[in-house]
Each structure stands twice: as structure tokens, then as C-alpha cells.
Amino acid sequence: MSDSFKMLYKSLHSVSVEYLTGINRNNIKKIKDLIPQIQQFAIWFLAGNKFGVEQEEYQELSSSLLQILKDIVEALEQEDYVLLHDAIGYGLLEYLKLFMEREDKLDDSL
């Protein structure tokens, strides 16, 4: 599972960089193609407090992730590139980064 989330991060990061640098501003299809992996990550994240944070903080993180997912869906439906890339670049990528940092800490402790 961790490798697929790392690949998702790399893919979304690449799409985000392409958008921000102007290389590819019309990359909705690339993000649509990643929806199954995004869904897999969201289900994993929302299935329980895997980070061991306080329950209240986990609830806030979960609510925030759900809002990010709603923004992604809305942006795709309306073909709103700005909202889409804000939700990806400043939202979903941050959650994936949390996962990767957690995985790195677990690897270091072994």
C-alpha cells in the first residue's frame, strides 16, 4: 500500500508542477486517471486514526480531507483548473506527505 501512495504523491506532484510552471495547464485528464488511487488513499485514511493523534485532531483532519475531495469533484465537474490545482497542490499532497513522513519514521525505527 505504501508504494502505491508514494507513486500517487509523485504523480500528483508532477501534475502540480506542470500546472504551476505553465507546461501543462489543461491536465484534468491526468488527474481523472488518478481518481482510483486518490479514492484508495481517502478510504485508507478515513478508515481509522493511523497516525495516533488525538481523536479530535483526527476528526479535524478527516473533515478537511473530505472537503478537499469535495473540491476536487466540484473542480472536475466544472472544469475549474484553479480550484482543482489548489485542492491537489495545497490539500491532497499535504495529506500524502503526512503519510510518507509517517512511513519514513517507521522505517527509521526499525
Side-chain angles (χ1 to χ4, degrees):
M1 189 71 72
S2 67
D3 287 341
S4 65
F5 293 159
K6 288 178 183 179
M7 290 302 298
L8 175 60
Y9 177 85
K10 289 178 184 178
S11 297
L12 288 173
H13 186 266
S14 174
V15 168
S16 186
V17 167
E18 286 178 2
Y19 179 79
L20 292 173
T21 58
I23 293 171
N24 187 358
R25 295 263 181 187
N26 184 12
N27 50 18
I28 285 182
K29 179 170 177 1
K30 286 184 178 182
I31 294 173
K32 281 184 177 179
D33 291 343
L34 294 169
I35 292 297
Q37 293 93 334
I38 293 170
Q39 181 181 20
Q40 184 181 26
F41 175 75
I43 290 169
W44 174 84
F45 187 92
L46 296 170
N49 184 353
K50 311 230 183 346
F51 298 102
V53 297
E54 296 290 326
Q55 191 60 29
E56 186 176 317
E57 183 178 358
Y58 174 71
Q59 290 299 324
E60 289 174 18
L61 288 169
S62 296
S63 294
S64 181
L65 178 59
L66 289 171
Q67 183 58 52
I68 291 165
L69 296 172
K70 288 167 91 174
D71 288 346
I72 291 170
V73 169
E74 180 182 331
L76 290 171
E77 288 173 346
Q78 297 178 5
E79 295 187 8
D80 183 337
Y81 300 99
V82 175
L83 177 59
L84 181 61
H85 288 282
D86 281 352
I88 297 293
Y90 305 111
L92 191 56
L93 283 174
E94 293 302 316
Y95 278 81
L96 287 162
K97 216 183 302 186
L98 277 174
F99 167 77
M100 292 188 324
E101 288 171 357
R102 178 180 178 269
E103 288 295 305
D104 289 343
K105 286 180 184 177
L106 287 175
D107 289 344
D108 289 344
S109 69
L110 296 178

